[in-house]
Amino acid sequence: MKIAFIGLGNMGGGMAANLAKAGHDVRAFDLSDAAISAAKEAGCTTFGSAREACEDVEAVVSMLPNGGIVKSVYEGEVIGTAPAGAVFLDCSTIDVATAREVIGAAESAGYDMVDAPVSGGIAAANGGTLTFMVGGREEAFAKAEPILQAMGKAVIHAGDAGAGQTAKICNNMLLAITMIGTAEAMKMAEKLGLDPQKFYEISSQSSGYSWSLNAYTPLPGVGVESPADNGYKGGFATGLMVKDLRLAMEAADSANAAVPLGARAASLYEDFMGAGNEGFDFSAIIKTYS
Ligand code: NAD
């Protein structure tokens, strides 16, 4: 299948390579020369603009930094250039309102489009083990699913346009809250004289269990191996968590949803990032409790 891929950064680079590995004819574009060279090495054909990459394709996949860029790439270059009937898959994490707006514009011009943000980081993008949460019409999902399968381990149709982004930001808001809760409880147990490993053994098998505690234990040497055991390097950067929490707060406002814990988590992560921790894994927030 002829597929244009726009945005070949940390995530998109590996995803485009996996589409090429699966036998697709991948037509790649990025603003960065280094990203273009890596895509060429990985078996993609490269182009000088998104517009050129999209001519004569059956699908367009994008993995871009934010909603403003997604809107300008689709409305400025992709829509009207790709052949009628092509399906568009935006895998970037962006705000729900822009996702719906761009899908509406694509549909009005005769295309199918889904929002398909991912769970999983750079290793999952490279390894083809991402989870995709997808929003859009049934027909659009049916066209998008086999393409997403080549880049991931799970593809879930969440609902109509924007439902993928909604699932992503609600999930990550919950993740931020449980990580902060886990950090607080572990440090409190330690200060009360309980061995943190004992606390892990007990709570991970009791009602306090969660992904943050059981699968991503934020204290070095305690529980499972995680970024904490690697100086909080790798994993999911605090800067990306703050990006997702800002999107979550914006969406909560627009829906008039009460999110007192989400708002507190967003503000704690903003402060943590402001203290120079943008590049560290988000579980490093436990260091603020020492
Ligand atoms: P990145 O900054 O590494 O990559 C973005 C790429 O887009 C860059 O190579 C950049 O040159 C390119 N780009 C920017 N504007 C462009 C344009 N107009 N035309 C073509 N290319 C353009 O970012 P990333 O880490 O790959 O993240 C991409 C998306 O995935 C983001 O929305 C992010 O929130 C989301 N995400 C990232 C992770 C992660 O662990 N990195 C995990 C889940 C979701």
Side-chain angles (χ1 to χ4, degrees):
M1 191 172 187
K2 288 180 190 166
I3 303 175
F5 204 111
I6 303 164
L8 309 158
N10 288 323
M11 298 291 289
M15 293 163 70
N18 283 325
L19 286 178
K21 221 186 281 170
H24 294 294
D25 174 359
V26 182
R27 292 142 182 251
F29 172 68
D30 193 289
L31 295 176
S32 140
D33 291 339
I36 290 267
S37 304
K40 204 179 271 179
E41 289 266 301
C44 305
T45 313
T46 56
F47 289 83
S49 69
R51 192 183 292 275
E52 289 168 70
C54 288
E55 284 168 4
D56 191 31
V57 294
E58 295 151 271
V60 178
V61 182
S62 52
M63 195 53 167
L64 294 161
N66 61 50
I69 295 175
V70 168
K71 185 172 155 63
S72 77
V73 166
Y74 278 95
E75 296 188 4
E77 301 193 68
V78 178
I79 294 174
T81 306
V87 60
F88 303 157
L89 299 77
D90 180 41
C91 299
S92 328
T93 303
I94 67 169
D95 59 288
V96 177
T98 302
R100 288 183 177 147
E101 191 185 329
V102 176
I103 291 176
E107 286 176 348
S108 302
Y111 301 99
D112 287 308
M113 182 165 186
V114 294
D115 54 301
V118 307
S119 172
I122 300 164
N126 290 334
T129 57
L130 293 166
T131 293
F132 291 91
M133 37 212 113
V134 188
R137 288 184 186 158
E138 205 60 64
E139 313 84 86
F141 178 73
K143 284 187 181 178
E145 190 181 15
I147 300 169
L148 296 172
Q149 290 288 3
M151 301 184 285
K153 66 169 164 49
V155 179
I156 299 153
H157 191 190
D160 292 338
Q165 300 294 352
T166 299
K168 163 92 188 176
I169 55 171
C170 291
N171 178 73
N172 280 15
M173 183 179 82
L174 176 59
L175 172 62
I177 294 168
T178 62
M179 181 53 78
I180 290 170
T182 299
E184 256 175 45
M186 289 192 97
K187 291 306 280 189
M188 179 175 158
E190 191 176 44
K191 289 199 168 171
L192 287 166
L194 183 60
D195 173 14
Q197 179 63 28
K198 276 285 161 226
F199 174 74
Y200 168 82
E201 279 172 30
I202 294 163
S203 198
S204 65
Q205 301 181 74
S206 303
S207 46
Y209 82 86
S210 69
W211 187 85
S212 294
L213 177 66
N214 292 39
Y216 214 85
T217 327
L219 266 187
V222 178
V224 295
E225 197 173 337
S226 70
D229 300 301
N230 187 31
Y232 299 98
K233 295 194 200 83
F236 184 48
T238 295
L240 286 170
M241 176 55 94
V242 168
K243 173 190 168 179
D244 291 357
L245 287 169
R246 286 177 184 164
L247 292 174
M249 291 307 101
E250 215 178 292
D253 253 5
S254 77
N256 208 14
V259 287
L261 288 182
R264 188 73 187 117
S267 118
L268 289 171
Y269 270 111
E270 290 275 2
D271 291 349
F272 185 58
M273 181 172 84
N277 296 301
E278 182 169 2
F280 288 107
D281 181 74
F282 80 110
S283 66
I285 200 157
I286 197 166
K287 292 202 276 184
T288 61
Y289 288 90
S290 349

